[in-house]
Amino acid sequence: GINAEYGGKLGWEYRQVLAGNQDPWCLESSHYPRATHNRPHIVYTMESYRIIGCVDCMDDLHYINYILVKSGEMGRCRVCGICFVCLPHPEPELIKVDHH
């Protein structure tokens, strides 16, 4: 069966969690109550950019606004104005090269 302790993670993702990397896909971000230029949502990346989906837009919208943010730069949603900043991942050594 699937190991429930690790949330059903398998293969490369499972080995990353065992190695101590709880967010192998860099999907977790730090959130503030309302993201502005002074306090943006922080999103980490291992690449030179990140595609971010803004779901904080108005409640009556039924789609996701995607924003391309380059590493070290700030992006802003054109609909709701929430700001995102894309930063290099603080612990790149946790992303292990998997030869399996």
Side-chain angles (χ1 to χ4, degrees):
I2 295 176
N3 188 343
E5 180 181 351
Y6 294 103
K9 292 175 175 56
L10 301 171
W12 178 83
E13 187 177 15
Y14 175 73
R15 290 188 293 276
Q16 288 291 310
V17 172
L18 289 179
N21 183 6
Q22 296 301 317
D23 184 25
W25 303 111
C26 304
L27 297 175
E28 298 296 324
S29 62
S30 301
H31 295 283
Y32 298 103
R34 181 71 177 167
T36 63
H37 282 284
N38 296 332
R39 295 181 63 131
H41 288 300
I42 299 170
V43 181
Y44 296 108
T45 184
M46 295 294 291
E47 304 294 331
S48 61
Y49 65 92
R50 186 75 184 258
I51 297 174
I52 301 168
C54 181
V55 294
D56 290 338
C57 296
M58 295 175 263
D59 293 334
D60 59 345
L61 297 179
H62 299 287
Y63 57 88
I64 299 173
N65 291 309
Y66 291 97
I67 307 153
L68 177 70
V69 182
K70 294 180 182 178
S71 182
E73 295 183 3
M74 185 177 293
R76 184 174 183 176
C77 178
R78 293 181 295 162
V79 175
C80 66
I82 286 184
C83 296
F84 301 90
V85 65
C86 185
L87 300 175
H89 197 283
E91 301 180 60
E93 65 277 357
L94 286 180
I95 306 299
K96 308 278 189 223
V97 176
D98 193 355
H99 299 289
H100 287 96

